[in-house]
Amino acid sequence: MKIETAQVVFIDIPYSYPPSSPITCRFTLNAAFQPNPRDWVGIFKVGWTSTKDYHTFVWVEPVHDAQQTEMRQAVFKEYYLPKDEIEFYQFCYIDNSGQVRGASTPFCFRNTSEQNAESIADDDLLVITTQVPYANMYIDLGM
């Protein structure tokens, strides 16, 4: 699927979202891009080939505050989110003519307990030293 020059940029997309609560994706619009009430944001499994391959979607909400025209958001209810915790997904902004105007970085859906276990495993650092280097250090220093 061809993506035009990014007219919509998704921001602050985390590595994973919890599958049991609503999620909000935030995005900005290029100043030259004119949104349409029939534009939508979908969640697609990575590797999708057609805009019909979405898992779920929400319509882009109109902006009533002129100062909020660039920063936008879409909220997905937990009931409609994918339940597969192995696959990766991405948000895509589809305009009213079916053209992809922006795509997010990939993310997955994981329970927070799994996220915590992984982040603990990723953040831990184990350093193993033997007494030999310390003994040599004391000898070199004349202690």
Side-chain angles (χ1 to χ4, degrees), residues 19-111:
S20 57
S21 60
I23 62 172
T24 301
C25 72
R26 290 177 176 75
F27 54 92
T28 58
L29 304 177
N30 180 312
F33 181 69
Q34 293 295 317
N36 183 290
R38 301 294 294 169
D39 293 355
W40 52 280
V41 176
I43 296 178
F44 291 78
K45 189 183 291 188
V46 169
W48 59 275
T49 57
S50 166
T51 55
K52 296 177 184 175
D53 293 343
Y54 63 89
H55 179 84
T56 188
F57 77 94
V58 293
W59 297 110
V60 172
E61 294 185 17
V63 173
H64 302 292
D65 182 357
Q67 295 187 5
Q68 295 294 324
T69 55
E70 289 186 22
M71 178 67 73
R72 308 289 290 274
Q73 69 180 27
V75 179
F76 293 86
K77 296 183 179 176
E78 67 272 16
Y79 179 79
Y80 298 105
L81 298 177
K83 305 300 182 227
D84 186 345
E85 295 186 4
I86 297 173
E87 296 292 335
F88 279 84
Y89 297 87
Q90 66 185 146
F91 298 111
C92 293
Y93 187 107
I94 313 297
D95 72 10
N96 65 319
S97 65
Q99 296 296 309
V100 179
R101 298 300 179 177
S104 74
T105 56
F107 59 88
C108 61
F109 292 94
R110 295 249 171 97
N111 286 317

Side-chain angles (χ1 to χ4, degrees), residues 118-137:
E118 283 186 9
S119 65
I120 289 170
D122 289 345
D123 293 341
D124 281 351
L125 175 64
L126 176 62
V127 178
I128 300 174
T129 60
T130 63
Q131 291 182 348
V132 174
Y134 288 112
N136 289 341
M137 182 177 71

